[in-house]
Amino acid sequence: SPLIRAPSQQLGPDYRPTEEKPTATVSTAPKINNLHILNQTPQLIALLTMIRDINTGRADFIFHSNRISRLLVEEALNHLPVLPHTVNTPVAGRTYAGVKFEGKICGVSIMRAGEAMEQALRECCRSVRIGKILIQRDEETSKPRLFYDKLPEDIKDRWVLLLDPMLATGGSALMAVDVLRSKGVPEDHILFLNLIASPEGVQNFADKFPKVRVVTAFVDEGLNDKNYIVPGLGDFGDRFFTL
Ligand code: URA
């Protein structure tokens, strides 16, 4: 498929005059139900610029990708249902009409790279349960194969935040959703969080699991012949865990 050029856009608040706004490449915006792309703010674009840079070392890669993961978790949590909840404040006789989250959640990371997003989830949801799924390409068939899973036993009663930083073809993530579905998790209780997605990946997801919400920071131009996302950031797991 032909690569889609990502558009350029001026970044910054409306009150700032045009000549003071830098121009940057922002996410493409495929019109797909249940695809949620983070607002292309100057902060987010600066964080993405940092982790895409070939000259960014491991410590900075970890720090800045953690910040993007935090933004993704915060956005995903906004998609969960809340109930009205009124509290008494310490100020005499005054109440505040607010809300509280009504369900149980858990994280599921697709090993190894998805584990890089666990810290952000723990920072937002204290003592959250986190399961793991290991899917790898079978050497003989070159299809993704499930090697290992360890999931909360009551996962079917939870909202699941599925974590994998790069949505390339979607092969592993689609298999991970199959595993969750086989444990009884409703499709519309799954949110798939990733930092960078390809147009092919989000389309594959929409075709197979239209009710899974995909929350991403950026939809890139496409995939190269090795199924790396372009322009992308290279191998996320290598840059986070080893390089
Ligand atoms: N996984 C990565 O780490 N990078 C890509 O570009 C695609 C999949």
Side-chain angles (χ1 to χ4, degrees):
S1 67
L3 294 185
I4 306 158
R5 286 263 159 255
S8 281
Q9 186 177 289
Q10 294 207 299
L11 296 180
D14 290 343
Y15 63 76
R16 194 153 287 161
T18 306
E19 58 276 14
E20 288 177 19
K21 291 192 195 185
T23 302
T25 305
V26 298
S27 177
T28 57
K31 289 275 169 293
I32 292 177
N33 282 341
N34 286 327
L35 170 65
H36 303 275
I37 305 168
L38 296 186
N39 278 336
Q40 304 291 294
T41 62
Q43 279 294 309
L44 177 64
I45 296 298
L47 296 171
L48 284 160
T49 306
M50 179 66 99
I51 65 168
R52 287 178 187 277
D53 186 346
I54 190 175
N55 293 313
T56 295
R58 181 160 171 251
D60 275 322
F61 187 87
I62 292 171
F63 182 87
H64 293 89
S65 62
N66 277 342
R67 279 193 59 198
I68 301 173
S69 296
R70 277 285 294 257
L71 295 173
L72 290 167
V73 172
E74 297 283 5
E75 171 63 23
L77 294 175
N78 282 328
H79 293 263
L80 304 180
V82 289
L83 290 173
H85 183 63
T86 297
V87 292
N88 300 310
T89 78
V91 178
R94 298 302 304 261
T95 59
Y96 173 72
V99 295
K100 75 173 176 194
F101 177 56
E102 67 167 338
K104 290 192 290 183
I105 72 164
C106 71
V108 171
S109 56
I110 302 179
M111 295 161 73
R112 153 186 79 149
E115 292 172 304
M117 300 171 75
E118 292 180 2
Q119 183 187 330
L121 178 57
R122 291 189 201 283
E123 284 168 1
C124 295
C125 308
R126 216 144 54 90
S127 61
V128 64
R129 300 283 309 271
I130 297 185
K132 292 183 190 287
I133 291 181
L134 176 62
I135 293 163
Q136 279 180 337
R137 196 175 293 278
D138 189 299
E139 297 285 332
E140 275 162 30
T141 67
S142 87
K143 293 218 168 71
R145 188 179 130 205
L146 175 66
F147 277 82
Y148 168 85
D149 69 273
K150 181 141 183 65
L151 302 166
E153 53 299 327
D154 61 347
I155 193 163
K156 68 172 178 39
D157 304 319
R158 294 175 182 268
W159 291 81
V160 178
L161 274 59
L162 182 64
L163 311 174
D164 196 1
M166 305 294 279
L167 168 54
T169 61
S172 317
L174 291 169
M175 179 168 276
V177 173
D178 278 329
V179 174
L180 298 174
R181 298 283 297 114
S182 76
K183 310 276 179 190
V185 181
E187 190 179 320
D188 61 0
H189 283 208
I190 300 169
L191 298 97
F192 176 36
L193 281 58
N194 52 81
L195 281 79
I196 301 183
S198 74
E200 296 89 334
V202 292
Q203 190 61 55
N204 289 342
F205 242 87
D207 292 344
K208 185 149 183 224
F209 297 116
K211 291 188 196 157
V212 170
R213 266 163 277 204
V214 176
V215 180
T216 190
F218 206 101
V219 180
D220 251 2
E221 293 176 22
L223 297 171
N224 69 12
D225 57 356
K226 297 196 171 75
N227 282 339
Y228 272 82
I229 299 175
V230 289
L233 51 70
D235 188 298
F236 189 99
D238 282 355
R239 298 193 62 187
F240 194 97
F241 290 112
T242 58
L243 286 183

